[in-house]
């Protein structure tokens, strides 16, 4: 038997001593979120103004004009065009369709990824559905970690508008399934966008293959999963 002493909960005095640091941590997070909102909101304002001038180009060159607006953001922020597009799209969506999400983001109550998740998850739904779910979406965004939040938000949309959700999912599976590779420095990441059932099947199969190795295999679990994937 091990003689290790189990960890003891902190005393009331220790908790009190830690409170200022934790309070400062939360305020720093809110300040970071408010700054992120200003960046996104300004990108949306700029891009809306930029696209408002597209009558100065022919219809044939509208896409080029739109891209040049994103390049302006990219140049100033030293970010990718995709990131610039996300900033512009989110800033516009918050102003035009998501007032409660915009208010929570502006106050620092939710962060950029969760605001982006609400915007993308509700895209394509009717105005009535968005209005019905937005307040609840903001509430659960402040309550859950990102993965749980994504699951809860999807469930909320299914309960509220099952028919619209099914139609949008059908379109997404038809047009948005894709695979891509990203550099992470010494390693690269391969990502695929699949339906929930496809992703579950792939994950199950990878786990099954990883589980076939000898019990004395020295590789860590993640290494075995990666090798099974390969």
């Amino acid at each position: 038997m091990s003689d290790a002493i189990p960890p003891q909960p902190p005393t009331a005095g220790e908790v009190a001593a830690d409170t200022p640091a934790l309070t400062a941590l939360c305020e720093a997070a809110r300040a970071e979120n408010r700054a992120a909102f200003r960046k996104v909101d300004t990108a949306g304002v700029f891009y809306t103004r930029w696209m408002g001038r597209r009558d100065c180009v022919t219809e044939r060159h509208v896409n080029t004009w739109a891209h040049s607006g994103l390049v302006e953001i990219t140049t100033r922020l030293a970010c990718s065009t995709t990131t610039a597009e996300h900033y512009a799209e989110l800033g516009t969506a918050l102003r035009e369709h998501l007032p409660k999400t915009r208010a929570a983001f502006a106050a620092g109550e939710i962060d950029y990824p969760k605001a982006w998740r609400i915007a993308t998850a509700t895209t394509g739904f009717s105005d009535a559905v968005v209005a019905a779910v937005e307040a609840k979406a903001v509430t659960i965004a402040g309550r859950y970690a990102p993965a749980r939040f994504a699951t809860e938000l999807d469930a909320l949309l299914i309960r509220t508008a099952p028919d619209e959700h099914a139609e949008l999912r059908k379109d997404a599976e038809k047009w948005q399934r894709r695979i891509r590779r990203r550099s992470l420095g010494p390693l690269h990441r391969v990502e695929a966008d699949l339906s929930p059932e496809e992703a579950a099947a792939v994950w199950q199969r990878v786990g099954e293959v990883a589980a076939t190795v000898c019990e004395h295999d020295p590789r860590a679990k993640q290494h075995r999963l990666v090798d099974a994937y390969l």
Side-chain angles (χ1 to χ4, degrees):
M1 296 180 62
S2 172
D3 294 328
I5 300 175
Q8 299 298 310
T11 66
E14 289 171 333
V15 171
D18 289 338
T19 298
L22 293 174
T23 300
L25 178 65
C26 292
E27 179 49 42
R30 287 192 291 269
E32 183 178 31
N33 294 342
R34 291 193 292 268
F37 166 77
R38 291 194 297 274
K39 177 173 63 177
V40 166
D41 189 54
T42 304
V45 170
F46 162 78
Y47 196 65
T48 298
R49 185 181 300 131
W50 181 273
M51 293 305 294
R53 305 190 195 104
R54 63 187 174 193
D55 56 354
C56 67
V57 299
T58 64
E59 192 65 29
R60 177 183 174 187
H61 296 104
V62 167
N63 288 339
T64 300
W65 179 256
H67 179 75
S68 64
L70 297 177
V71 169
E72 293 292 338
I73 299 174
T74 297
T75 302
R76 267 63 172 190
L77 299 182
C79 63
S80 68
T81 305
T82 299
T83 297
E85 185 175 20
H86 287 177
Y87 290 161
E89 287 179 351
L90 179 56
T92 302
L94 292 174
R95 282 181 172 271
E96 296 182 353
H97 309 296
L98 297 165
K100 294 180 176 64
T101 306
R102 184 174 188 271
F105 192 13
E109 296 169 2
I110 62 174
D111 60 15
Y112 169 81
K114 289 180 179 178
W116 172 252
R117 184 77 188 190
I118 293 173
T120 55
T122 57
T123 296
F125 284 91
S126 65
D127 291 343
V129 170
V130 175
V133 303
E134 188 187 7
K136 179 64 174 177
V138 170
T139 298
I140 61 177
R143 183 182 302 163
Y144 297 126
R148 174 72 182 277
F149 168 59
T151 301
E152 294 290 335
L153 178 57
D154 198 44
L156 174 63
L157 289 166
I158 292 173
R159 290 195 305 270
T160 306
D163 293 339
E164 288 189 35
H165 187 277
E167 191 63 30
L168 288 169
R169 176 177 164 179
K170 187 186 304 181
D171 289 342
E173 291 177 5
K174 182 177 181 180
W175 302 109
Q176 297 180 24
R177 296 168 82 248
R178 62 175 182 160
I179 191 167
R180 55 202 176 277
R181 186 179 76 174
R182 294 197 291 129
S183 172
L184 299 177
L187 298 176
H188 280 217
R189 176 175 294 164
V190 176
E191 299 173 323
D193 293 336
L194 310 170
S195 72
E197 293 81 10
E198 290 170 330
V202 170
W203 190 246
Q204 178 179 344
R205 183 58 182 150
V206 168
E208 290 170 349
V209 173
T212 62
V213 300
C214 168
E215 62 178 325
H216 302 297
D217 191 299
R219 290 171 296 175
K221 179 181 178 180
Q222 285 297 320
H223 290 181
R224 294 198 304 272
L225 289 171
V226 170
D227 290 340
Y229 168 77
L230 292 171

